[in-house]
Amino acid sequence: MSKKPLPAVASLLAGLAMAGLSADPAWARGYNEQGVFAFFDGLTDWIGFGNLSGDWRHLFIYALVAFSFPFGYLSDLAFMERGFGRILNSLIGAAGFCIGLRLFLPHLGAFQNETDTTRFNLGIIAAGSGAAFALLFAALTKAVVKHLATSLLARPARRARATQGKPAEEAEPRLAMALRKKD
């Protein structure tokens, strides 16, 4: 646990966020409707938000970051050792957030009769579901790989324990030959 009190850390983070938000219009003016960070411009284009101006792109990036940190912290509390830690959980959640939006946006046309609020809420549900599924899939993959690695590494030890105390003839042929050479 950190020795710094939580309000001091929270106020520092809030101050940094405000400084970034206040500098944002000055940064966006120099980039001709593109964002400051080239990677996030490519990401917003890939998701389907290519028509957003620089300020709206930055707002999306801030929303993504604002989602990923609490998601990483809370999923670390929920998954514990089954997860990947706070930072990797937040990165996996952010990736799932983007994938969920990428998969949902082409189907948004089916909701033309709904209000903007309903479509926004459906987008948030799709993004949050994408983050949760991405983390669940990553945790499941980690569990399977860990199980396979453990079973492969434990196999020689089990084989050695199984042949202890048995005559060389009862052991597997390769082990029997090795035991005969040893004697």
Side-chain angles (χ1 to χ4, degrees):
M1 189 86 185
S2 175
K3 293 184 180 185
K4 293 183 179 182
L6 184 61
V9 173
S11 63
L12 174 68
L13 291 176
L16 289 173
M18 290 178 130
L21 286 172
S22 64
D24 186 34
W27 288 345
R29 269 186 243 120
Y31 284 89
N32 298 332
E33 299 299 320
Q34 294 295 315
V36 175
F37 309 107
F39 170 76
F40 288 116
D41 286 336
L43 182 67
T44 54
D45 290 340
W46 178 77
I47 290 171
F49 294 149
N51 57 349
L52 293 178
S53 67
D55 290 341
W56 285 104
R57 286 176 185 258
H58 289 128
L59 183 62
F60 172 73
I61 293 166
Y62 293 144
L64 180 63
V65 170
F67 167 81
S68 67
F69 284 127
F71 180 81
Y73 178 74
L74 294 174
S75 63
D76 184 48
L77 291 176
F79 280 82
M80 293 183 192
E81 72 276 351
R82 291 179 188 91
F84 299 92
R86 292 177 187 163
I87 295 174
L88 283 179
N89 282 357
S90 21
L91 290 175
I92 293 169
F97 186 94
C98 295
I99 291 169
L101 281 177
R102 168 78 174 169
L103 294 175
F104 175 72
L105 284 179
H107 305 290
L108 193 60
F111 300 102
Q112 290 298 325
N113 296 335
E114 301 298 326
T115 63
D116 288 340
T117 306
T118 303
R119 287 195 302 259
F120 175 77
N121 289 338
L122 288 172
I124 294 298
I125 290 169
S129 300
F133 283 127
L135 187 59
L136 284 173
F137 181 74
L140 179 65
T141 303
K142 176 186 172 185
V144 168
V145 167
K146 188 176 179 181
H147 173 72
L148 289 174
T150 304
S151 66
L152 287 175
L153 292 174
R155 188 175 293 163
R158 279 188 299 212
R159 190 174 289 161
R161 272 187 267 128
T163 59
Q164 283 180 348
K166 292 183 179 180
E169 293 77 32
E170 293 179 21
E172 290 183 21
R174 286 189 328 179
L175 291 174
M177 188 167 41
L179 289 173
R180 279 190 214 115
K181 287 181 182 178
K182 191 177 181 183
D183 292 335

